[in-house]
Amino acid sequence: VRADTVRVLPTFAYVGALVILTGSHVITLVWGTTFLLAVAAITCFAFRSTLRVSRRRLLGILALSAAAVGVNLWWLLPAFVYRHHVLIDQHSSVVKFLGGGSQNKATEIFDPLRSNNLGPPPLFTISPTNAKVPVVAAVWALVALGFGWRTMSSAWRRVAVGLICVALVLLALVMFHQPWLVVPPLWRNVQFVIRLQTYITLAVMGLVLVGALAIPAVGSQKIRRALTGGLIAVGALTGYQAYRQVWTLPSVLPSRDTVFANQHSPPPSWYAEDDYADVAPPVVSPTLGVVSGLTESNGQLSFPLVGPPRSSYSFPYVSSKAGTVWTNVLGGPEMVNVAGGRAVGRTPASWMVVSLPATSGRPGKLVFSAAHPWPVKLGIAGSVVSVLGLGIVLTWLGFSDIRRRRGRRRDSPSR
């Protein structure tokens, strides 16, 4: 925003960060964007006396940001349009996971050794989690800020205070139930409160950055050296803790290779496959009994899926009369095309219910294939346009940087 000249590498870093953020987990998208907007607001307030941005630059950055978000329209648009269709939208709530787990206790949150002592995995998680506040880094940052507070600029002091406030608000949400009563519904669907530890860690990283900038303002050379050595030690310690955490957490899998054992079926760690079942269609009861040619399982007609994935699946059947049957297909008519029958609703468990015509003794054929509704098509088109637009902009900036460097070399005195 403040740079005199827009260059290709910082622009690429900014665009890449936005693409990754908006292409991530939906909860991460909501909370990560909120955190970054809060930090941006704090920074703009802190540097308000020196922040001068032209309208042209601001519009350019907004357009660049929109194009970066547009790269992920292929999934963002369908996810937004069909957000109330999926089962997970009906039961996702933070209240389920508050107050019971040991991860909310202060002894866990502020454990400087980041020891793995959570015991058995919490409900619906694959393995124990180890989400701690980086206590050692936070203490170093506060000590560095204490030594350099009087001599550092007022703008950086305001940034530090803002980051501390953000971290305290997030800590209150992690440790206590009451603050969630005033959180808007969109942000309340965090599922696991320990997700917020991510943004507490990022706030501490911001404080470490400000603390590092405060070191040159410290008057004593001995203290400056001690703070610098302490920062190196903190980096080494937290790096080792992160490495140890990743490689010591237990897993339900016997080996990492198990994930890739079979290309046609999900690995053993796969769970909650019905989270994205379509709950929008009405519940319809079956009127047909056993239909010849299909397998009946617990009152539901199961279509066997054999071999590698295909673009469509066809199943022959014979039905003496018209009626409805339950299937083992999870998905509504906007995502699954049905030929030879018609999707009319769902079971109480959200499996598709199909209406079949009478075949009068002749074999019929039921065909399932992927549908491509307008949100999917429009989202893909938006992603393609965004990628092409960003490619043109980054290429133009790259050539501009090359011309600028060549111009500086021509104008500089020879050695």
Side-chain angles (χ1 to χ4, degrees), residues 266-312:
S269 61
W270 190 274
Y271 69 104
E273 65 275 1
D274 60 342
D275 274 349
Y276 298 94
D278 196 327
V279 294
V283 175
V284 176
S285 299
T287 61
L288 293 177
V290 176
V291 178
S292 176
L294 300 177
T295 306
E296 185 178 19
S297 174
N298 298 324
Q300 176 174 293
L301 297 173
S302 299
F303 303 97
L305 304 181
V306 182
R310 302 192 300 270
S311 58
S312 66

Side-chain angles (χ1 to χ4, degrees), residues 118-122 124-130 194 246 248-253:
L118 285 182
F124 297 135
T125 57
I126 298 302
S127 63
T129 49
N130 188 343
I194 54 174
V246 169
T248 58
L249 281 178
S251 172
V252 297
L253 302 179

Side-chain angles (χ1 to χ4, degrees), residues 31 94 169 173 177-189:
W31 276 94
V94 71
V169 169
L173 290 172
H177 181 274
Q178 291 77 9
W180 287 100
L181 301 177
V182 297
V183 172
L186 178 61
W187 287 265
R188 204 177 298 154
N189 285 330

Side-chain angles (χ1 to χ4, degrees), residues 14-323:
Y14 175 74
V15 168
L18 279 182
V19 170
I20 292 172
L21 178 66
T22 56
S24 184
H25 193 275
V26 176
I27 296 174
T28 305
L29 168 61
V30 173
W31 276 94
T33 304
T34 303
F35 175 82
L36 292 178
L37 289 175
V39 174
I42 290 169
T43 308
C44 288
F45 174 78
F47 292 93
R48 62 190 185 278
S49 60
T50 59
L51 191 61
R52 299 287 184 270
V53 184
S54 67
R55 183 178 300 177
R56 179 181 177 184
R57 172 66 61 84
L58 190 59
L59 290 175
I61 292 173
L62 290 175
L64 195 69
S65 305
V69 174
V71 171
N72 292 307
L73 278 177
W74 67 272
W75 84 271
L76 282 175
L77 187 58
F80 177 78
V81 173
Y82 298 120
R83 64 193 184 280
H84 298 314
H85 283 240
V86 291
L87 179 63
I88 197 172
D89 178 69
Q90 310 296 315
H91 60 69
S92 178
S93 173
V94 71
V95 179
K96 274 198 311 186
F97 302 99
L98 277 175
S102 61
Q103 63 266 28
N104 299 81
K105 296 179 180 179
T107 52
E108 282 293 328
I109 294 172
F110 299 107
D111 178 10
L113 299 179
R114 298 176 69 173
S115 52
N116 297 326
N117 54 356
L118 285 182
L123 186 64
F124 297 135
T125 57
I126 298 302
S127 63
T129 49
N130 188 343
K132 319 281 187 180
V133 171
V135 177
V136 179
V139 169
W140 180 91
L142 294 176
V143 170
L145 289 171
F147 279 109
W149 190 260
R150 291 185 178 181
T151 51
M152 65 188 302
S153 70
S154 58
W156 284 115
R157 288 201 295 265
R158 287 191 285 264
V159 170
V161 172
L163 290 172
I164 291 172
C165 291
V166 168
L168 291 176
V169 169
L170 293 172
L171 273 173
L173 290 172
V174 170
M175 299 178 67
F176 306 107
H177 181 274
Q178 291 77 9
W180 287 100
L181 301 177
V182 297
V183 172
L186 178 61
W187 287 265
R188 204 177 298 154
N189 285 330
V190 72
Q191 191 181 22
F192 303 104
V193 292
I194 54 174
R195 290 188 194 278
L196 302 188
Q197 295 281 27
T198 301
Y199 310 107
I200 296 172
T201 299
L202 289 173
V204 172
M205 289 172 63
L207 285 174
V208 170
L209 173 62
V210 179
L213 294 174
I215 292 177
V218 177
S220 171
Q221 185 178 10
K222 290 183 179 179
I223 296 177
R224 290 199 301 271
R225 288 178 176 175
L227 290 174
T228 303
L231 181 57
I232 295 172
V234 166
L237 174 63
T238 54
Y240 166 75
Q241 288 176 331
Y243 167 82
R244 179 179 177 276
Q245 174 182 329
V246 169
W247 289 103
T248 58
L249 281 178
S251 172
V252 297
L253 302 179
S255 166
R256 294 175 184 267
D257 296 334
T258 309
V259 176
F260 309 101
N262 192 328
Q263 61 174 323
H264 304 318
S265 63
S269 61
W270 190 274
Y271 69 104
E273 65 275 1
D274 60 342
D275 274 349
Y276 298 94
D278 196 327
V279 294
V283 175
V284 176
S285 299
T287 61
L288 293 177
V290 176
V291 178
S292 176
L294 300 177
T295 306
E296 185 178 19
S297 174
N298 298 324
Q300 176 174 293
L301 297 173
S302 299
F303 303 97
L305 304 181
V306 182
R310 302 192 300 270
S311 58
S312 66
Y313 297 87
S314 60
F315 305 96
Y317 72 94
V318 176
S319 180
S320 59
K321 60 179 181 178

